[in-house]
Amino acid sequence: MAVGYMRYGTFQNAGGDETFLEADRAGGKAFVAANRHNQFTPPTGGGVSVGVGGVGQVGTAGWSYGWGVMGSSIADGGLQAGVVGLGNGSANTGVVGEAHTGSAAWGVWGKSNQGYAGWFSGKVHITGGLTKASGGFKIDHPLDPENKYLVHSFVESPDMLNVYSGNVETDGSGEAVVVLPGYFEALNQDFTYQLTCVGQFAQAIIAEEIQDNRFSIKTDKPSVKVSWQVTGVRQDPYAVRNRISPEEEKSEGERGLYLHPEAYDQPRSSDINYERERAHEIIKSDLQKRAAELFEEHDAKK
C-alpha cells in the first residue's frame, strides 16, 4: 500500500459527493491520520492534538461486523482513556450504549480483572432491575478516615421488603400509637411486627394492627420504652409486575456453566461468559498489536 504525506495540509469540498477510501488488505488500514504534536503525552487541557476530527450531525461513525469503533490508549496513568465521551450541551449525554436483540445483549460491557469494571462519580439511577453477587457501602472510616475504610454489606431478602423502625414510650395506661408515613399502606402489604422492651422487664403486644397507616402497642406496665420494627412487601404497580423469583432455572445454554466458577473450584472455561470473553480477548489482542505496529511504522518514517 502506498503511503503519502502532506506537510502543510489541504482542504477540499466535495459538495454533494462522498470522499471514499478503500483498502483490501488483511490486517491493514484504509486510512491513517497522525498528529505528532505531543503524541506521547496525555492531554492536559492546554490544546489537545487530534489525529482525526469529524464534523456533522454524527461527527464520526463506524460500521463493522466486529467493532464499529475502537479506542486504545497505550500510556499508563488514570487520565488516559481508550474512549472518551463528552456531553457538553445542556441535558446532553456523554456516552450512549444500546443493544436490543436477545437476552444476552449488553448495552454497555465493562471489564476489569484487577480494578473496577465500572466507576461512577456521582448519582446513579437504574430504571429496571439490578442483580449482583454481593454489595454494600464503603466509606472513609469515621474513627480513622485518613487510614481506614468502613465496609458494610447490604441486607438481602427474597421479597421486595421495606423496613421501618423506631422507639415509642407507652403512657400511664401502657398504651402507645405509632404513626407511619402516609404512603405506607399504598406501598406495602403482608406486614410483620417486632417489639422489644427497653430498660425494664415488661410484656408488649400489638394491640391493633396497621390501619389508616398506624398501629397501637400495649404493655403490661406503664411508661415502658418500646423499640419497634415493621416490615412490608412492596405492592406498588412496578413491584407487582416485576416480582423477584428467588430460584430460577438456568437456560439450556447456561446449564453446566457458572456465574462464579472460581467459587466452586471450576476452571475459567466453565464461566457462563467464557466464549464471549475469549472472542473479545482475541480481537482485542489483534487490534492492540496492529495499533503498536502502526506507531512503529510511522515512527520509522518520520
Side-chain angles (χ1 to χ4, degrees):
M1 182 178 75
V3 178
Y5 294 90
M6 293 180 293
R7 182 174 298 276
Y8 299 107
T10 185
F11 174 82
Q12 176 180 332
N13 187 338
D17 298 324
E18 292 182 340
T19 299
F20 190 83
L21 299 174
E22 180 176 306
D24 187 2
R25 174 188 173 194
K29 293 84 60 180
F31 175 74
V32 175
N35 186 337
R36 298 193 176 281
H37 184 70
N38 292 333
Q39 71 180 68
F40 295 113
T41 59
T44 58
V48 177
S49 301
V50 178
V52 176
V55 179
Q57 287 182 317
V58 177
T60 302
W63 292 269
S64 173
Y65 287 103
W67 294 350
V69 176
M70 176 195 172
S72 178
S73 176
I74 60 175
D76 297 330
L79 179 62
Q80 290 78 303
V83 175
V84 175
L86 303 174
N88 293 321
S90 176
N92 210 326
T93 301
V95 176
V96 175
E98 293 191 23
H100 302 292
T101 306
S103 60
W106 301 342
V108 176
W109 181 11
K111 292 183 57 182
S112 178
N113 293 325
Q114 299 181 11
Y116 291 88
W119 184 282
F120 301 90
S121 300
K123 297 183 291 185
V124 177
H125 181 73
I126 300 172
T127 60
L130 171 67
T131 56
K132 57 184 179 56
S134 64
F137 74 73
K138 180 179 180 180
I139 61 173
D140 296 316
H141 198 297
L143 299 181
D144 191 1
E146 293 185 357
N147 300 299
K148 293 182 180 180
Y149 295 111
L150 183 65
V151 183
H152 275 30
S153 176
F154 292 148
V155 177
E156 312 286 1
S157 169
D159 296 312
M160 291 183 171
L161 205 63
N162 291 320
V163 181
Y164 306 79
S165 62
N167 296 301
V168 69
E169 185 172 322
T170 58
D171 60 17
S173 300
E175 298 177 347
V177 175
V178 176
V179 179
L180 297 165
Y183 56 77
F184 182 87
E185 286 183 274
L187 178 62
N188 298 287
Q189 62 182 4
D190 301 335
F191 314 130
T192 65
Y193 309 83
Q194 291 188 42
L195 301 176
T196 302
C197 296
V198 180
Q200 59 178 304
F201 291 104
Q203 292 182 325
I205 64 169
I206 300 295
E208 294 182 3
E209 293 197 58
I210 295 171
Q211 186 173 1
D212 297 328
N213 300 310
R214 64 183 60 203
F215 67 95
S216 63
I217 295 172
K218 176 72 174 176
T219 57
D220 63 343
K221 297 178 182 179
S223 303
V224 176
K225 183 179 180 180
V226 179
S227 181
W228 60 268
Q229 178 176 288
V230 171
T231 67
V233 177
R234 282 177 56 184
Q235 64 168 353
D236 56 279
Y238 183 86
V240 170
R241 289 168 174 77
N242 295 276
R243 289 295 182 201
I244 295 173
S245 176
E247 295 181 301
E248 293 181 21
E249 295 290 336
K250 290 184 177 180
S251 66
E252 187 66 31
E254 295 173 335
R255 290 177 184 171
L257 302 175
Y258 299 78
L259 289 170
H260 306 283
E262 69 283 354
Y264 296 90
D265 298 321
Q266 297 297 314
R268 181 169 175 257
S269 58
S270 297
D271 192 296
I272 282 178
N273 296 314
Y274 175 73
E275 293 298 332
R276 188 174 195 161
E277 292 186 353
R278 182 169 174 269
H280 172 84
E281 292 297 329
I282 292 172
I283 297 172
K284 181 180 71 173
S285 176
D286 182 63
L287 289 173
Q288 287 176 333
K289 178 181 177 183
R290 296 298 304 140
E293 291 175 352
L294 177 63
F295 275 107
E296 293 177 3
E297 177 182 331
H298 285 268
D299 285 341
K301 295 176 180 178
K302 284 194 295 186

